Amino acid sequence: MIRLAVDGVEMSVPDGASVLAAVRAAGGELPSLCHDDRMSPAGSCRTCLVRADGRIVASCVTPATSGVRVEAAAEELRALRRGALEVIAAGLPRRALAGTDSELSRACADLGVGPDAARSTGGRGADTSHPYVHLDRDLCIACGRCVRMCSEVQGTFALTLTGRGADTVVAPGTGGPWVDSDCVACGGCVDTCPTGALTEPGPARGLTSATPLPIPGGPATGVTRTTCGYCGVGCSLDVVTADGEVTAVLPDLGGPVNRGHACVKGRFAHRYLRSTERLTQPLLRHGDRLVPVGWDEALRHVADGLRAAVAEHGPESVAVISSARATNEENYLIQKFCRVAIGTNSVDNCSRLCHSPSALGLTASFGMAGGTDGFDDVQRADCFLVVGANPVEAHPVVGARLLNRALRGARLVVVDPRAVGLARHADVHLRPHPGTNVALCHGLAHVMLAEDLTDETFLRDRATGLPELTALLDDYPPARVADLTGVPESDIVAAARLYGRAQRPAILHGLGVTEHLHGTDGVRALANLAILRGAVGTGRGYGVNPLRGQNNVQGASDMGALPDLLPGYAKVTDPEARARAARVWGVPVPERPGLRIPEMFAAARAGRLRVLWVIGEDICATDPDTHQVVAAVRACPLVVCDELFPSETARHADVVLPATSWLEKDGTFVNFDRRVQRVRPAVPPPDGARSDFDIVHAVADLLGASLGCPTPAAALAECAALTPDFAGLSHERLDREGAVPWPCRGPDRPGETSLYRERFATPDGRAHLAAAPYLPPGEEPDDTYPLVLVTGRRWAHYNSGSMTRRGPNLTLAPVDFLDLHPDDAERFRIADGAPVSVTSRHGSARLVARVGRESAPGQVFAAFHFPAHGVNSLTSGNADTVTSCPEYKVTAVRVAPAGATAPGPPGRPDRRPGIGPGFTSGAPGPSGVLEVGAEGKGAERRS
Ligand code: FES
């Protein structure tokens, strides 16, 4: 700590603090128009002048030093600051100060600079091309905050200052209109702008995270702090509302993960809330039509169907797909409903389709199903090994923080077949053939062993399995691994040396590791590297950390929405675990593990599944080999679907129940680094929509099964009572403390951010090396299907796109592209921007070609944000041999020009990854009867 005096008052500030921070800590008000704590100081505007030991200094760029005497409040210093403001104001039009609420106008009002000080006549024009960022050039003071936000915090480098002297103004670095620039609409520039030059249009105009809120009577009468419901990063957001509508979503400056940052989804993609397509009335199937009915009739139909199925076919004839989109409390209630009200363990969630190999692999290697370390600790690493993940697009706030570290000197190894966003900043980019991760990891481990880049003490004292792994690795010298993976031998050696020689090496991985035929082996092969290096269980971070894709996919599994595991990952086959649950729930817990999601579909197609309840998942759009999924849904006599919109699954369901979204819910989510955070309703749901929590309770009541847990808070309390690792969690504590990581084993005990410091949670307390050989993927290209399709996410959309396609994100990314290499484009005569048909052994899809070098020759890439394009009809039924996680990342396909029958027109080209022209799914409006048509369930049934 540094001791100093501010206006005669002795005080202390942390090492590294600026004089500006010290003055503010002392309660002083200083304008700081070119400064934002989120980035480095510039010292250019001179509005923060103070006197330090007799010298006039810009406080933002002056470090606080021991014993310095700072004067800030004296009138002569206020006059200096007033003068600096008057110089700035003179270059602005009157509207910059009159009737505007901005950091500048508030500073001027505080120092007595009136609107008459603004003397410019303006005329520099505006750029309103972008749906979320409007530029009024006349209000730009060239402070550079937006430019530094874009480069230092977001890492996109999309903005620059152009012009000279008083004509200097922010502009996209690419020139041209903002909407065609490299901007990824994180909102950072809007949030930091002190004058209103950059604003979000509409009722959010001028609102930033620095705006004093709420504003009585204005467009910001309420503010609700909640946790983002898009990806698994867990950004803390302040939702600004007026008259029951969302005005703006602002990043929480104190957010534990996002630290005042956000992305195009969490910050801007909320217009879906009031979409005219929102479901507001239950729908019940009558033949090939879904007809609006009242809640009583719909719920009675569901309860009668469940009762009849159990009575006639037993509880195993019922299955529920719970939701990674839903809260922990809802997931807890849903799994309890299955086990208590129905008597089955057949409940699963979409972690089955993404990170089930991470959960199982990490448990086998270390003992627990979550990432090993908190992200703050991970970020202190001096070398990152990022494998099969594209955080710049799929987890933008984490991607920005990683990029930030890489730009400040941390070494970066990226393993991905594609040239993903982080790859261009990597020291080494390894591009293995899809499906060869295990071989590549073994190659890295081989080099680490051969070059003594291991921690022998750690291996001796804390690990097991080294002899078996050493023997296996004899078969994976770099030359052979280069043959298997296509990665040059020298790159394998270079990457192994970077990771092995780093002092604080961290591994982050994504679905490029898990969504494979041998995804669990891939996770374990990665864990081997951390164990060999002794870079896990340090108590200081690093480790192996999965980047979770959905907002609460960690929590859905934590809460026991799994067919073989109870809350807290207790095995249903463990009599003690069942007895513990039975004591809390008051009924015996079924002993036999239930069906996994793919097994549910198989059982439906075989006629064994009589009721399938799908909560918050669009399985007919996002699950692999969708023709088989649709066949399962058609074969199941009663399919119930909780949804926001008339999704593909809803169109095939028998009962559709209108549900609420994350901005309308009360509960908690668990993010990717195991932080449990509150979710609070910011706006009321539309009339007619109900939360999944209420819906499950209502059905249970009709079945005569009381679930207890009358409120979400009570549900988490019951889960805490049942589950030692969550024993310290409660809504009251989370409201008081903010984020709390699990394990948290008591109300008075802290959550554990960094796991395994003393011992691993395996039965023997050791980390377990795995000696699993490389096995090839389920599909290989051949003469008929010569290309390998990899699927994944784009920056502007989220999963099936049901939320992000219903708002201006659609303007930013109106179509799904097929990325292909120029060599393949020439080989198959496909032009950039042309419609293209893609065919696999399982189905076909139509996309728009984007020719570039992001994908390697022989590989193509597509997202699945537009179900109408049919990308998931291409993917196979192959799945991880251990967890049944689908092999989304390897599908053999062929491509051909689609001709005039392609589903949409090419549009505006775009330089950003993942942006392109296109078409929408054209989902029908939901307020009345939903016509299902010839392909729908009713038609199928009648035939
Ligand atoms: Fe210190 Fe601008 S805030 S010089």
Side-chain angles (χ1 to χ4, degrees):
M1 297 293 281
I2 297 166
R3 287 201 60 77
L4 73 165
V6 175
D7 289 324
V9 178
E10 297 282 337
M11 61 178 299
S12 298
V13 293
D15 293 342
S18 66
V19 168
L20 174 65
V23 172
R24 287 181 171 164
E29 296 276 346
L30 284 182
S32 58
L33 293 185
C34 71
H35 181 75
D36 184 320
D37 285 340
R38 289 170 281 188
M39 50 229 181
S40 60
S44 61
C45 75
R46 318 304 285 175
T47 58
C48 66
L49 296 176
V50 297
R51 184 180 285 120
D53 282 347
R55 284 189 313 119
I56 300 297
V57 297
S59 60
C60 65
V61 288
T62 304
T65 51
S66 189
V68 66
R69 307 201 74 76
V70 178
E71 299 166 69
E75 179 50 38
E76 61 177 305
L77 296 168
R78 284 173 59 86
L80 282 176
R81 299 196 287 267
R82 185 182 307 120
L85 278 175
E86 285 170 344
V87 169
I88 292 168
L92 298 172
R94 186 180 175 85
R95 61 189 162 83
L97 303 186
T100 300
D101 185 23
S102 67
E103 196 175 322
L104 171 70
S105 65
R106 290 193 293 275
C108 286
D110 183 51
L111 286 172
V113 178
D116 290 346
R119 293 196 288 274
S120 169
T121 54
R124 294 197 290 179
D127 182 339
T128 58
S129 61
H130 195 284
Y132 297 133
V133 183
H134 281 190
L135 168 63
D136 181 342
R137 295 187 184 89
D138 290 336
L139 299 188
C140 180
I141 59 172
C143 64
R145 279 167 61 164
C146 51
V147 177
R148 279 177 285 139
M149 178 65 85
C150 191
S151 57
E152 293 181 19
V153 177
Q154 170 57 29
T156 299
F157 300 91
L159 304 181
T160 188
L161 292 175
T162 64
R164 290 172 179 271
D167 286 332
T168 305
V169 67
V170 65
T174 51
W178 202 285
V179 72
D180 288 340
S181 74
D182 292 337
C183 171
V184 293
C186 69
C189 58
V190 168
D191 201 62
T192 193
C193 180
T195 67
L198 288 167
T199 56
E200 180 183 351
R205 179 175 294 282
L207 295 179
T208 74
S209 50
T211 306
L213 295 173
I215 304 169
T221 53
V223 183
T224 304
R225 179 153 298 169
T226 191
T227 305
C228 184
Y230 282 104
C231 77
V233 170
C235 292
S236 180
L237 302 172
D238 287 332
V239 183
V240 184
T241 55
D243 299 326
E245 303 286 335
V246 174
T247 303
V249 178
L250 305 175
D252 170 13
L253 292 173
V257 186
N258 56 314
R259 301 173 173 179
H261 198 39
C263 80
V264 65
K265 286 161 277 201
R267 166 136 190 160
F268 293 118
H270 53 79
R271 307 271 177 92
Y272 70 89
L273 284 171
R274 295 296 178 257
S275 164
T276 55
E277 294 180 86
R278 187 82 189 263
L279 293 171
T280 56
Q281 196 170 358
L283 301 170
L284 190 59
R285 177 166 299 284
H286 286 268
D288 59 357
R289 305 167 67 185
L290 284 166
V291 177
V293 297
W295 270 102
D296 286 349
E297 183 178 353
L299 293 172
R300 213 167 36 245
H301 191 88
V302 174
D304 289 348
L306 285 165
R307 194 181 291 112
V310 173
E312 294 170 25
H313 303 279
E316 299 306 332
S317 67
V318 174
V320 177
I321 297 178
S322 193
S323 181
R325 318 286 295 125
T327 62
N328 290 321
E329 293 75 4
E330 289 170 328
N331 276 286
Y332 179 79
L333 200 71
I334 291 163
Q335 63 83 31
K336 184 176 179 182
F337 171 85
C338 290
R339 288 163 170 139
V340 169
I342 304 297
T344 179
N345 283 310
S346 288
V347 56
D348 206 353
N349 75 85
C350 81
S351 70
R352 180 69 50 211
L353 310 181
C354 57
H355 270 294
S356 51
S358 293
L360 199 141
L362 292 173
T363 301
S365 293
F366 305 127
M368 300 182 82
T372 59
D373 293 274
F375 189 60
D376 290 344
D377 290 331
V378 172
Q379 206 193 10
R380 281 190 274 276
D382 59 353
C383 177
F384 296 97
L385 177 58
V386 181
V387 186
N390 184 11
V392 168
E393 294 194 60
H395 307 83
V397 167
V398 161
R401 285 183 63 178
L402 288 174
L403 193 51
N404 195 294
R405 284 287 295 125
L407 293 171
R408 283 167 170 73
R411 312 307 294 270
L412 178 61
V413 178
V414 172
V415 180
D416 201 296
R418 301 168 60 225
V420 293
L422 282 180
R424 76 183 64 136
H425 303 279
D427 295 278
V428 182
H429 176 201
L430 310 181
R431 305 184 75 168
H433 299 318
T436 62
N437 290 328
V438 173
L440 183 63
C441 288
H442 287 347
L444 297 174
H446 179 105
V447 176
M448 289 171 66
L449 276 175
E451 300 193 4
D452 287 332
L453 301 176
T454 59
D455 185 333
E456 288 181 19
T457 305
F458 182 93
L459 289 167
R460 184 190 63 229
D461 296 344
R462 301 199 61 189
T464 187
L466 184 60
E468 296 85 351
L469 179 63
T470 303
L472 177 86
L473 294 179
D474 283 346
D475 289 338
Y476 294 89
R480 178 173 180 246
V481 172
D483 281 346
L484 290 170
T485 64
V487 175
E489 197 175 329
S490 58
D491 286 354
I492 295 168
V493 173
R497 287 174 180 168
L498 278 173
Y499 180 82
R501 289 175 179 170
Q503 294 300 305
R504 304 184 302 279
I507 295 172
L508 296 115
H509 72 274
L511 304 182
V513 172
T514 58
E515 290 178 340
H516 289 283
L517 189 64
H518 304 288
T520 301
D521 289 348
V523 174
R524 299 213 61 192
L526 267 184
N528 284 348
L529 302 179
I531 298 168
L532 288 172
R533 182 60 191 75
V536 61
T538 66
R540 302 182 302 278
Y542 332 132
V544 184
N545 296 281
L547 290 170
R548 296 296 200 143
Q550 301 224 49
N551 54 316
N552 198 35
V553 71
Q554 178 75 54
S557 296
D558 296 345
M559 294 296 114
L562 292 167
D564 55 342
L565 297 169
L566 297 166
Y569 300 94
K571 292 179 178 173
V572 296
T573 52
D574 176 357
E576 272 186 39
R578 288 201 310 277
R580 197 164 55 238
R583 275 196 296 277
V584 174
W585 295 343
V587 295
V589 176
E591 179 178 340
R592 201 170 77 187
L595 302 177
R596 296 172 172 180
I597 289 173
E599 294 168 340
M600 294 177 189
F601 298 152
R605 290 192 294 269
R608 296 194 306 276
L609 194 70
R610 313 300 295 178
V611 181
L612 176 63
W613 189 352
V614 185
I615 297 174
E617 296 286 340
D618 191 0
I619 54 172
C620 292
T622 59
D623 284 45
D625 202 356
T626 48
H627 294 307
Q628 291 298 314
V629 178
V630 170
V633 169
R634 286 176 174 175
C636 187
L638 176 59
V639 176
V640 184
C641 173
D642 293 14
E643 255 298 357
L644 303 183
F645 298 105
S647 64
E648 294 301 305
T649 306
R651 292 161 66 83
H652 289 91
D654 297 281
V655 184
V656 181
L657 304 174
T660 56
S661 83
W662 61 278
L663 284 162
E664 300 153 348
K665 283 190 175 184
D666 179 30
T668 55
F669 292 155
V670 187
N671 79 335
F672 78 104
D673 68 351
R674 295 177 279 103
R675 288 178 224 231
V676 187
Q677 301 186 96
R678 284 284 276 126
V679 178
R680 301 181 180 90
V683 289
D687 285 345
R690 296 173 67 169
S691 72
D692 298 313
F693 196 86
D694 288 346
I695 294 169
V696 173
H697 263 310
V699 173
D701 287 346
L702 287 172
L703 293 174
S706 172
L707 296 178
C709 308
T711 64
L716 187 63
E718 184 178 292
C719 181
L722 172 62
T723 313
D725 281 347
F726 308 147
L729 299 175
S730 67
H731 281 205
E732 183 270 334
R733 179 173 181 176
L734 293 166
D735 285 337
R736 192 176 64 244
E737 297 182 20
V740 177
W742 70 256
C744 179
R745 297 193 172 96
D748 302 323
R749 296 176 62 177
E752 295 178 30
T753 302
S754 194
L755 299 178
Y756 315 127
R757 180 171 191 160
E758 306 295 332
R759 72 191 302 277
F760 290 92
T762 51
D764 61 5
R766 288 173 165 263
H768 286 222
L769 292 159
Y774 161 70
L775 295 168
E779 293 206 350
E780 305 267 14
D782 57 20
D783 289 345
T784 309
Y785 302 100
L787 300 170
V788 172
L789 169 71
V790 178
T791 64
R793 294 179 181 149
R794 307 280 195 188
W795 70 287
H797 287 296
Y798 184 75
N799 280 12
S800 67
S802 62
M803 298 190 297
T804 50
R805 281 186 287 106
R806 292 180 167 93
N809 284 40
L810 192 62
T811 308
L812 297 171
V815 69
D816 266 347
F817 278 122
L818 182 78
D819 291 345
L820 75 169
H821 191 273
D823 295 353
D824 294 320
E826 186 178 342
R827 181 178 165 201
F828 298 104
R829 302 180 191 286
I830 291 168
D832 189 27
V836 58
S837 75
V838 189
T839 307
S840 74
R841 296 182 178 92
H842 320 283
S844 61
R846 291 178 172 227
L847 297 155
V848 173
R850 186 169 68 174
V851 179
R853 296 180 185 277
E854 201 167 286
S855 288
Q859 298 168 24
V860 293
F861 176 87
F864 47 90
H865 304 309
F866 293 75
H869 297 198
V871 169
N872 273 321
S873 70
L874 298 167
T875 44
S876 74
N878 293 330
D880 176 35
T881 53
V882 182
T883 65
S884 304
C885 179
E887 191 181 41
Y888 283 113
K889 301 297 186 189
V890 188
T891 306
V893 298
R894 64 171 181 262
V895 299
T901 57
R908 169 177 56 81
D910 204 301
R911 285 176 289 273
R912 288 162 297 190
I915 305 177
F919 46 90
T920 71
S921 64
S927 54
V929 173
L930 185 60
E931 299 283 355
V932 178
E935 81 282 11
K937 182 166 185 172
E940 175 73 12
R941 241 196 222 146
R942 281 200 318 276
S943 61

